[in-house]
Amino acid sequence: MKENILYPRTVAVVGVSQDRKKIGSVIYHNVIEGGFNGKVFPINPKYKDIEGEKCYPDVLSIDSQIDTVCIVIPSQFVEGVVDECIEKKVKSVVIISSGFKETGEEGAQLEKRIADKLKKAGIRLFGPNTLGFINNSINLNMSFARENPGYGSTAFISQSGAFCTAILDMAIRDKIGFSKVVSIGNKADIFENELVEYLQSDKDT
């Protein structure tokens, strides 16, 4: 696994709205308010701006190179955004959305089609159906966890987003930080074994 997929310099969040309670907005604000020094682009064709920041209608309308696209929209619209990501030549995609193989055969077929497209394009995928990830080495909280315990020397990986959230809540209570927290969801591409192998050589873990 290449280091740069956990160390993006530019991030786009698809599904940001003006309602801060929506998951896309929670992730967007977690990124911009967590101290991340990279560029962050909100995407939603319904809005021209989000709290004074320009909001883009789609991935392809952004002039800059995008390292990571975080997708937080209903599953039936995800494949279209993935196609844009492939055309844009992004490095990685995080699909927060549910509605894939955990829901049955139709969702499983959609997930496989998306994963196959991204693999063919050389783009790595976290998820789908994931909490997202936190990399405290660069102050990046690209998850919908409400709080981040901050930096520490331990990394944590979980398939379950709910388990991640529970561990984060306990870590905040007990003042335990993490270098990385990764929710892998349905594991359509990235599995825990690849992450463990990568983290063995991570200087911050």
Side-chain angles (χ1 to χ4, degrees):
M1 189 178 83
K2 293 182 179 178
E3 179 180 295
N4 59 16
I5 68 170
L6 285 174
Y7 285 80
R9 292 172 294 178
T10 51
V11 170
V13 182
V14 180
V16 181
S17 80
Q18 292 179 345
D19 182 353
R20 275 190 171 234
K21 294 180 181 178
K22 296 285 184 69
I23 291 178
S25 297
V26 170
I27 293 171
Y28 173 69
H29 288 288
N30 278 350
V31 173
I32 64 174
E33 294 169 8
F36 177 60
N37 287 325
K39 184 67 177 171
V40 187
F41 301 96
I43 296 176
N44 190 327
K46 295 180 181 177
Y47 305 107
K48 292 191 175 178
D49 73 272
I50 299 289
E51 298 183 13
E53 292 294 325
K54 181 177 179 180
C55 188
Y56 295 82
D58 52 49
V59 172
L60 296 174
S61 63
I62 299 171
D63 292 335
S64 305
Q65 170 62 37
I66 305 170
D67 291 334
T68 300
V69 175
C70 183
I71 302 174
V72 201
I73 56 176
S75 58
Q76 64 265 33
F77 303 116
V78 169
E79 188 172 7
V81 176
V82 165
D83 290 340
E84 292 177 7
C85 292
I86 292 168
E87 186 174 344
K88 187 70 176 174
K89 295 182 170 61
V90 308
K91 294 176 182 175
S92 63
V93 171
V94 180
I95 301 178
I96 304 293
S97 314
S98 58
F100 293 92
K101 70 181 177 186
E102 79 281 3
T103 64
E105 183 58 32
E106 187 177 345
Q109 290 177 6
L110 175 61
E111 179 176 317
K112 184 178 186 307
R113 195 162 62 244
I114 286 170
D116 287 347
K117 283 183 175 183
L118 290 170
K119 184 176 182 179
K120 185 177 180 181
I123 298 170
R124 301 310 305 269
L125 167 63
F126 287 98
N129 187 31
T130 172
L131 180 77
F133 73 79
I134 298 171
N135 181 355
N136 282 321
S137 300
I138 55 170
N139 298 318
L140 175 59
N141 180 1
M142 195 160 53
S143 78
F144 58 92
R146 296 289 174 172
E147 292 187 78
N148 178 4
Y151 182 77
S153 61
T154 301
F156 182 77
I157 306 164
S158 173
Q159 180 276 324
S160 164
F163 191 48
C164 269
T165 301
I167 291 294
L168 287 168
D169 287 343
M170 288 188 285
I172 289 163
R173 180 194 68 199
D174 296 336
K175 296 180 172 56
I176 298 170
F178 293 99
S179 60
K180 316 284 188 297
V181 177
V182 185
S183 165
I184 50 180
N186 288 6
K187 303 187 282 188
D189 176 23
I190 295 172
F191 280 69
E192 56 270 58
N193 55 343
E194 186 177 7
L195 282 164
V196 168
E197 185 177 345
Y198 162 72
L199 288 165
Q200 285 177 336
S201 60
D202 178 40
K203 62 182 175 58
D204 294 325
T205 301

